[in-house]
Amino acid sequence: MPKFTLKQIAAQSGLSLATIDRALHNRGKVHPQTQHRIQQAIADLELLQKAGLAKGRTLYFDVIMHTPDRFRELVREAFSSQIAGFSSFKIQLRFHCSENMTIDEINTVLKKCAVHSHGVILKATNSEQLIPTIDALMKQRVPLVTVMSDIPSSARLRYIGMENVDAGKAAAFLMAKWLRVEKSHIMAITGSKEFIGEQERIEGFVAAMQQFAPQHRVSVVAAGFGLDHLTYQSVTDFLTSHPETDAVYTVGGGNAGILRAFDEQRILINTFIGHDLDRENRALMQAGKIDALIEHNLQLDAQHAFKALLEFHGFIPKTESAAPYSKINIITRYNMTT
């Protein structure tokens, strides 16, 4: 028997009490479409009841990110700023963000989330070691979304962030227009080949450069997870054997280290395009060291992540389609926000 009264179901479905009674107690034939309306009404009532019970409840969301410290500040600000938009719930964010996180450490944190978490927001390398843990969380009804970089073979709910291939293409479009030499050697720098989001940006960039300006050469260098000292060393090593390099597209950070390596080699950078308007990149762009940054709305990513986790639990109605990709923005020193 349903846990709602006939009167409640009738009001929700717009059908008569007699029709509801006949359908639920098998007292005659009921059209399949009518049956569907009744079942949908019951499902809606269950959702409303669940949402009502959840209101005012404290929900713990764990934000786990392998990311440089400078980007961690942006993440904290963006995600914390969106809690007020879900004021029916008391969302508590627990941040586990570090630039030196190992896969084992991420796995350990994820496993702990199985006990006291209502949802996980994850940025990590595309490691097979994480897949069983993510799948186990989903089976235990602890939903997980990936942000900025995906783990597509896992059972995660969805990926949230920009379309990374298109972001790389946008960078290539700018690079092809701005290079001031007939032939250039572009260094495309990724923090790690294990971050699928970064790899997609590089792939988009390389393919688009072939299309827009095939006379230029592109070399891909993996360099130190976006950390300045490791990136500096990798770029220095590359420039020692490729002193003709004169342009940079970097998808993983470490820009101060990149610039220091070029300065020490006394190599002029004709065009420098990076990602993310963090505090360090803002200063470098203001100083004229970076020409453009590709970025997207982290606040909107936070909204989409919270919605996905709340929808999974039935605390808010499900939208018909998944969250769209974040809009890709092009930032120069002349349209930076203060």
Side-chain angles (χ1 to χ4, degrees), residues 61-324:
F61 291 160
D62 289 272
V63 183
I64 306 170
M65 293 197 177
H66 181 185
T67 188
D69 289 341
R70 59 181 174 273
F71 189 71
R72 179 176 61 187
E73 296 176 20
L74 284 183
V75 170
R76 279 182 174 274
E77 291 171 6
F79 278 75
S80 298
S81 72
Q82 299 308 301
I83 292 176
F86 299 86
S87 56
S88 296
F89 313 97
K90 295 178 181 177
I91 295 177
Q92 296 285 337
L93 297 178
R94 296 184 295 211
F95 290 94
H96 316 268
C97 304
S98 172
E99 59 188 20
N100 297 310
M101 291 183 86
T102 65
I103 292 298
D104 287 340
E105 288 170 340
I106 293 172
N107 240 335
T108 298
V109 177
L110 283 173
K111 288 174 182 176
K112 289 180 180 178
C113 291
V115 182
H116 298 299
S117 184
H118 297 96
V120 178
I121 299 161
L122 176 67
K123 176 185 180 284
T125 56
N126 184 29
S127 170
E128 291 186 1
Q129 289 178 255
L130 298 177
I131 293 174
T133 309
I134 294 170
D135 294 353
L137 283 173
M138 293 297 296
K139 287 178 181 177
Q140 293 167 287
R141 296 198 58 76
V142 180
L144 180 146
V145 295
T146 54
V147 291
M148 288 159 257
S149 192
D150 199 9
I151 306 177
S153 298
S154 70
R156 78 334 179 223
L157 274 181
R158 66 188 59 160
Y159 162 74
I160 293 171
M162 74 169 79
E163 214 295 348
N164 287 298
V165 173
D166 284 350
K169 290 179 180 178
F173 178 79
L174 296 176
M175 184 72 75
K177 294 291 185 181
W178 287 352
L179 282 174
R180 297 182 289 272
V181 293
E182 192 172 313
K183 286 188 178 181
S184 183
H185 187 181
I186 306 161
M187 192 177 185
I189 306 169
T190 175
S192 169
K193 292 182 178 179
E194 301 301 318
F195 283 115
I196 196 170
E198 293 188 9
Q199 284 305 107
E200 288 171 342
R201 294 173 188 179
I202 292 289
E203 288 167 11
F205 179 82
V206 171
M209 284 304 300
Q210 277 294 311
Q211 177 186 353
F212 300 146
Q215 73 274 18
H216 299 308
R217 178 184 173 192
V218 179
S219 294
V220 179
V221 177
F225 293 97
L227 303 181
D228 285 343
H229 66 289
L230 295 177
T231 305
Y232 160 79
Q233 190 57 59
S234 295
V235 173
T236 297
D237 292 344
F238 182 83
L239 292 177
T240 299
S241 53
H242 299 89
E244 76 286 357
T245 305
D246 60 352
V248 172
Y249 171 52
T250 173
V251 301
N255 295 338
I258 295 168
L259 289 164
R260 182 158 67 95
F262 272 86
D263 285 345
E264 289 182 0
Q265 299 278 346
R266 297 183 180 179
I267 298 173
L268 177 68
I269 300 175
N270 288 319
T271 303
F272 191 120
I273 299 173
H275 277 259
D276 303 319
L277 189 59
D278 57 37
R279 183 171 56 185
E280 179 182 276
N281 285 344
R282 184 187 297 275
L284 292 173
M285 178 173 280
Q286 196 66 51
K289 302 291 186 180
I290 295 177
D291 296 298
L293 291 168
I294 312 292
E295 64 110 49
H296 66 289
N297 192 325
L298 280 174
Q299 287 82 5
L300 199 57
D301 284 356
Q303 288 180 30
H304 290 155
F306 294 164
K307 284 180 181 177
L309 300 179
L310 291 168
E311 285 174 6
F312 176 89
H313 289 295
F315 295 155
I316 60 174
K318 281 192 175 183
T319 52
E320 291 185 3
S321 59

Side-chain angles (χ1 to χ4, degrees), residues 7-70:
K7 187 175 180 180
Q8 286 176 306
I9 298 170
Q12 184 68 28
S13 66
L15 299 169
S16 68
L17 280 170
T19 300
I20 302 298
D21 180 67
R22 188 167 68 252
L24 294 181
H25 298 99
N26 299 313
R27 300 181 193 202
K29 288 187 177 181
V30 178
H31 194 280
Q33 189 173 357
T34 302
Q35 286 280 19
H36 176 75
R37 282 180 64 181
I38 292 170
Q39 294 305 315
Q40 184 61 54
I42 293 172
D44 290 344
L45 287 168
E46 288 175 342
L47 177 60
L48 289 168
Q49 184 184 66
K50 199 170 187 180
L53 292 172
K55 284 183 179 179
R57 180 178 172 185
T58 300
L59 303 174
Y60 292 96
F61 291 160
D62 289 272
V63 183
I64 306 170
M65 293 197 177
H66 181 185
T67 188
D69 289 341
R70 59 181 174 273

